[in-house]
Amino acid sequence: MKNIVLKTLELKNFKSFRHAKFDDFNQKENFIYGKNGAGKSTLFDAFLWLLFGKDANDRKDYEIKPLDENNQVQKQIDVEVHATLLINNEEVTLSRIYKEKWQKVKGAEEKTFKGHETELIFNQVPVSLKEFNAKVAEISEESLFKLITNPSAFESLDWKKKREVLVSIAGEVSDEELFNSDADFKELSLKLTNKTLDEYDTQLKASIKKSKQEKEDTPARIDELKNSKIEDVDFAKIDSDIQEKEGKISDIDSELENASKSVQNIVDANTKVQQEIQSLNSQKSEIEIGLRNQAKQECFIDTSTIDSLKSKLRNAQTMLQNSNNYLNSLKQNISNYESSIKALEADKTDLVSKYNLENAKVFDAEKYSCTCPNCQTKFVYNDEPEKEFNLEKNQKLSKIIDQGNSIKSKIEQYKSQVEKVLLDLATPSEDINKYQSDIDNINSEIQTEKSNLQSPKNEEEVYQNLISDNAQLSKLKIEIATLQSKIKEVKQADNSELKLQKQTLQTEIKQLIELKGKSSVNESIDNRIKELANREKELSQIIANLEKEQFVIERFKKVKTESLEKSVNEKFEYVTFKLFEEQVNGGLNPTCITLVNGVPFGSANTAGRINAGLDIINTLCKVNEINAPVFLDNRESVTELIPTESQIISLIVDPNQETLKFN
């Protein structure tokens, strides 16, 4: 059995505590008094925060720093919690310190807040968070520790989680044992192939629901079939009516065919005339194309000389632009060199001033002199300082001279570049003058050539005159017009009435054929009605069998429920647990309700709830072989606690106690 005892607890700047230290906790029961709001519950939060970085409500991100008079979080303070534990009488110390990080940014006068960091110490040795958590886990697992240190922790869990904890303590009765205890249960187990009991139960419920629904729908389906039976029909007359209507359709088809032949003769004659017109139009198009080419030749003007001059003009303009760009580039280079020379001359002037200032410095012998105690005469007892001064001065002057020589060399280099570029300026200037002269001459030649061109003829006028004078083209136009007059108008016959009559007859024949096909419908309907009546009886038996199996499952669950509740409740002395609720239909729903003397935990008085919590803690400690400090809030409400092996820290409300009093 691992026994954990809290020996000391110290808080600094934790929530409402500026500083509080509690030494020499008793290993059995301790009493801490204070009015509401004095910080009693904060002690438990601090203890849990120290171990796990969370409060009693399992929150990580919550405000632990104290507030100022304006209810604002205080800054530039560290939050600390320290504790000493006795684990099987071996002393262990733990510390958690929450620090602010402040950093001075380059160029800023004040430091900037950069967040927080946590320092963790275990047995006076700083450790990482991972190492600290591992060492705390060796003391106790977190969720278990919270359950055995807080009487209300278990009841605050979700009912499913509470149920898991209880089942892990008591252990469930195995299904195998129950299956072998009853013949009906044994038969049930044989049906659970590749499925759980709950899955099979769900399957049964779905099957029962489906079968009942099918049975309820059967009478309506039978009535629907009876209503769909058709009355007796004279099928012999139907055949006679079909033959009569088919004869009428044949007569209509003959009329439509004769009308179509008359129209086709006219269409064929018109097609022959259209082919002759198309041949003449082809001859006409060939003549017109020839006349269009002839008009183009008569109106053609030769501009090849002007086009050649324009090409030479574009080349000369390109060369002029390139020469201008080159000239501007050379001028920009000269400007850049001159700017560099100006900057270097300024640096040179600064170096001269720096040299004169350094050269004017003299050794201060007074600083290194001593006074003779006998004659009061001042003297320099060592010439080393003066040597060091002169050496340092000469080194600085030499460095300045080297910098000056380097600047002088660069100035001379840039001036040489300027002179070279000035000589290069002559070439692009000459090219610019040459290309500008060429451009002027070419423009003059283009204007001269344009003035020598003949006035162009109007191509469309020439073309129209050629068409008017062509006798063959005029003859073709007359022949085409004569043929077009021979084309006859084709008038389509109005067959819409005949087609409508045919369509109506076809629809009537289709309806008669469908009616004839229903001769065996009534017989099929009667057979189907018998099938549904037999199925209705069969469904009644199926439902009865399924409900019997469902009853066995419910009885199995109830036996298992009673066994589980008995096993769980045997582990506790003060509380009992209700692990299942019976539904109206007799089914069972899993739950987890804590009862204190038969009353639900939430309805019990404060003393009852505290002792119930202690009873749960006692069982958890016994099963897990561990005891830990238990923090009892509202201890003043309990006159007598049930016995416990754990250390008790009782938090008692005392309206007259402004600050916490430890006893």
Side-chain angles (χ1 to χ4, degrees):
M1 174 72 78
K2 181 183 289 185
N3 190 39
I4 303 171
V5 174
L6 178 62
K7 185 177 180 182
T8 67
L9 181 64
E10 183 177 7
L11 289 69
K12 292 183 179 179
N13 298 319
F14 189 91
K15 291 191 177 180
S16 59
F17 287 99
R18 174 63 65 183
H19 181 224
K21 188 173 184 181
F22 302 88
D23 291 324
D24 297 326
F25 277 95
N26 188 290
Q27 293 194 18
K28 287 300 179 181
E29 186 169 9
N30 304 269
F31 301 91
I32 298 176
Y33 301 87
K35 69 174 187 177
N36 288 328
K40 299 185 298 299
S41 300
T42 302
L43 296 179
F44 187 43
D45 284 341
F47 184 48
L48 292 180
W49 181 79
L50 167 64
L51 294 171
F52 308 110
K54 305 174 186 176
D55 68 357
N57 294 318
D58 211 34
R59 296 178 300 177
K60 275 188 177 181
D61 301 323
Y62 72 104
E63 191 56 64
I64 59 175
K65 289 186 175 182
L67 305 178
D68 59 19
E69 61 276 5
N70 296 319
N71 209 30
Q72 298 295 317
V73 176
Q74 295 185 29
K75 296 183 178 180
Q76 296 188 342
I77 60 172
D78 296 339
V79 180
E80 302 180 27
V81 177
H82 311 272
T84 303
L85 300 179
L86 290 178
I87 302 177
N88 291 343
N89 293 322
E90 182 179 343
E91 194 171 278
V92 174
T93 61
L94 305 96
S95 297
R96 185 184 290 264
I97 305 172
Y98 189 60
K99 294 183 173 182
E100 293 182 353
K101 292 193 296 184
W102 293 83
Q103 182 179 344
K104 189 170 183 180
V105 182
K106 188 176 180 181
E109 294 183 2
E110 298 182 355
K111 292 183 178 181
T112 303
F113 177 63
K114 293 295 183 179
H116 293 86
E117 61 183 355
T118 302
E119 180 181 341
L120 297 162
I121 303 172
F122 194 93
N123 279 342
Q124 286 79 50
V125 179
V127 293
S128 67
L129 176 61
K130 183 177 180 181
E131 292 172 326
F132 186 86
N133 288 342
K135 290 180 180 295
V136 170
E138 290 178 1
I139 297 173
S140 173
E141 189 271 328
E142 180 181 346
S143 60
L144 173 62
F145 191 84
K146 291 179 178 178
L147 289 176
I148 62 175
T149 54
N150 180 4
S152 62
F154 177 83
E155 192 59 28
S156 66
L157 296 176
D158 176 76
W159 72 267
K160 293 181 180 179
K161 184 63 179 175
K162 290 193 295 183
R163 203 172 189 278
E164 288 177 10
V165 173
L166 295 175
V167 171
S168 68
I169 292 174
E172 287 195 82
V173 178
S174 71
D175 287 349
E176 191 65 28
E177 292 179 24
L178 290 179
F179 284 142
N180 293 327
S181 67
D182 185 279
D184 289 340
F185 294 168
K186 184 66 175 178
E187 185 179 348
L188 173 63
S189 68
L190 299 176
K191 298 177 181 178
L192 301 182
T193 306
N194 297 325
K195 60 174 70 74
T196 65
L197 183 67
D198 287 337
E199 289 172 342
Y200 186 57
D201 190 22
T202 302
Q203 176 186 327
L204 287 176
K205 290 176 181 176
S207 299
I208 291 171
K209 181 179 179 181
K210 181 179 179 182
S211 298
K212 285 184 176 180
Q213 185 62 53
E214 184 181 352
K215 183 182 177 184
E216 289 176 5
D217 294 342
T218 299
R221 294 171 65 187
I222 291 174
D223 289 341
E224 184 179 351
L225 287 170
K226 289 179 178 178
N227 293 332
S228 64
K229 291 178 68 174
I230 60 175
E231 298 178 359
D232 294 336
V233 178
D234 187 352
F235 294 105
K237 187 177 184 303
I238 290 176
D239 289 335
S240 175
D241 290 345
I242 291 173
Q243 291 177 3
E244 180 185 349
K245 294 180 186 299
E246 287 177 344
K248 290 180 180 179
I249 289 175
S250 179
D251 294 341
I252 292 172
D253 287 340
S254 297
E255 291 184 49
L256 290 173
E257 184 179 357
N258 292 334
S260 177
K261 286 180 179 179
S262 176
V263 172
Q264 188 61 44
N265 291 334
I266 298 173
V267 170
D268 291 343
N270 285 346
T271 300
K272 185 176 181 180
V273 174
Q274 291 284 5
Q275 290 173 347
E276 293 179 11
I277 293 173
Q278 184 177 358
S279 176
L280 294 176
N281 277 327
S282 297
Q283 297 177 39
K284 175 173 169 287
S285 295
E286 289 179 4
I287 294 172
E288 289 174 343
I289 291 171
L291 295 176
R292 173 64 74 180
N293 290 333
Q294 183 178 343
K296 286 182 181 292
Q297 289 294 328
E298 291 183 14
C299 298
F300 176 73
I301 298 175
D302 186 6
T303 61
S304 59
T305 302
I306 294 175
D307 293 339
S308 176
L309 288 171
K310 286 182 178 180
S311 177
K312 290 173 65 178
L313 176 63
R314 288 192 293 272
N315 290 336
Q317 289 171 336
T318 300
M319 296 303 293
L320 175 62
Q321 182 63 44
N322 292 340
S323 297
N324 276 322
N325 292 341
Y326 181 47
L327 179 63
N328 292 334
S329 175
L330 292 175
K331 289 180 179 180
Q332 183 62 46
N333 289 341
I334 292 173
S335 176
N336 293 339
Y337 287 136
E338 289 176 344
S339 297
S340 298
I341 291 170
K342 184 177 179 182
L344 289 170
E345 290 288 358
D347 292 342
K348 182 179 177 183
T349 301
D350 291 342
L351 283 175
V352 170
S353 299
K354 189 175 180 182
Y355 178 88
N356 292 335
L357 182 65
E358 186 65 32
N359 193 42
K361 293 180 180 179
V362 296
F363 178 70
D364 184 7
E366 184 69 24
K367 182 177 179 182
Y368 299 94
S369 62
C370 299
T371 303
C372 177
N374 296 322
C375 63
Q376 303 300 313
T377 302
K378 291 186 177 181
F379 65 95
V380 177
Y381 68 89
N382 191 344
D383 61 351
E384 285 301 321
E386 185 174 5
K387 287 181 180 180
E388 289 180 4
F389 171 80
N390 290 331
L391 178 61
E392 184 179 355
K393 177 179 178 182
N394 290 333
Q395 288 176 343
K396 290 181 178 179
L397 292 175
S398 177
K399 185 177 180 181
I400 293 171
I401 291 171
D402 290 343
Q403 292 175 344
N405 289 335
S406 176
I407 291 174
K408 180 180 178 183
S409 175
K410 289 182 180 179
I411 291 174
E412 291 174 354
Q413 180 182 351
Y414 288 152
K415 286 183 176 179
S416 174
Q417 291 293 336
V418 170
E419 293 175 359
K420 181 177 179 303
V421 175
L422 286 172
L423 294 175
D424 293 340
L425 288 175
T427 300
S429 298
E430 292 173 359
D431 290 344
I432 289 170
N433 293 332
K434 173 181 176 303
Y435 293 133
Q436 186 61 56
S437 175
D438 290 346
I439 289 170
D440 294 341
N441 292 334
I442 293 171
N443 279 325
S444 177
E445 289 182 44
I446 290 173
Q447 293 302 319
T448 300
E449 287 296 328
K450 284 183 177 180
S451 64
N452 292 333
L453 291 176
Q454 297 178 356
S455 299
K457 296 180 181 179
N458 188 302
E459 182 181 325
E460 188 60 31
E461 290 181 2
V462 173
Y463 173 65
Q464 292 299 330
N465 290 332
L466 290 173
I467 288 177
S468 300
D469 296 338
N470 191 286
Q472 186 179 359
L473 192 60
S474 299
K475 181 182 176 183
L476 286 171
K477 289 180 178 180
I478 293 171
E479 291 177 359
I480 290 170
T482 302
L483 287 171
Q484 286 177 338
S485 66
K486 293 181 180 181
I487 296 175
K488 296 180 180 179
E489 182 182 359
V490 179
K491 292 185 178 180
Q492 295 290 340
D494 187 4
N495 298 324
S496 57
E497 183 64 30
L498 290 173
K499 290 180 178 180
L500 180 60
Q501 291 177 16
K502 180 180 178 180
Q503 184 178 358
T504 302
L505 289 169
Q506 288 173 333
T507 302
E508 291 174 353
I509 290 173
K510 182 179 179 182
Q511 291 173 347
L512 289 170
I513 292 173
E514 289 177 353
L515 184 59
K516 182 180 177 181
K518 294 180 179 180
S519 60
S520 60
V521 170
N522 288 352
E523 183 180 351
S524 298
I525 290 174
D526 289 337
N527 292 333
R528 181 57 180 156
I529 289 173
K530 290 179 181 178
E531 290 176 2
L532 289 175
N534 292 331
R535 177 60 177 168
E536 187 175 10
K537 295 178 182 178
E538 182 183 352
L539 286 170
S540 298
Q541 187 59 49
I542 290 174
I543 293 169
N545 294 337
L546 292 174
E547 288 178 340
K548 180 181 178 181
E549 287 191 49
Q550 195 175 35
F551 173 77
V552 174
I553 291 176
E554 294 301 330
R555 189 165 66 85
F556 178 88
K557 288 182 177 180
K558 188 171 184 179
V559 171
K560 186 174 181 179
T561 298
E562 293 170 350
S563 299
L564 178 59
E565 283 189 350
K566 180 181 178 182
S567 179
V568 167
N569 291 327
E570 284 176 349
K571 303 291 184 181
F572 298 88
E573 296 182 6
Y574 190 73
V575 297
T576 56
F577 295 94
K578 184 178 181 181
L579 300 181
F580 294 89
E581 284 185 324
E582 188 169 349
Q583 298 175 282
V584 177
N585 61 4
L588 297 173
N589 271 344
T591 186
C592 186
I593 301 174
T594 307
L595 301 175
V596 183
N597 293 324
V599 177
F601 185 93
S603 300
N605 58 29
T606 304
R609 290 197 300 270
I610 291 176
N611 276 320
L614 276 178
D615 188 28
I616 294 170
I617 288 174
N618 286 342
T619 299
L620 290 173
C621 290
K622 183 177 180 181
V623 170
N624 292 281
E625 297 185 346
I626 184 172
N627 289 321
V630 179
F631 284 76
L632 288 183
D633 211 351
N634 297 315
R635 173 65 175 83
E636 70 282 354
S637 300
V638 188
T639 57
E640 184 177 354
L641 295 177
I642 66 173
T644 179
E645 295 296 323
S646 300
Q647 180 189 26
I648 300 295
I649 300 172
S650 294
L651 307 175
I652 301 173
V653 175
D654 185 349
N656 300 319
Q657 191 65 43
E658 292 289 333
T659 58
L660 295 186
K661 177 184 176 183
F662 177 48
N663 186 3

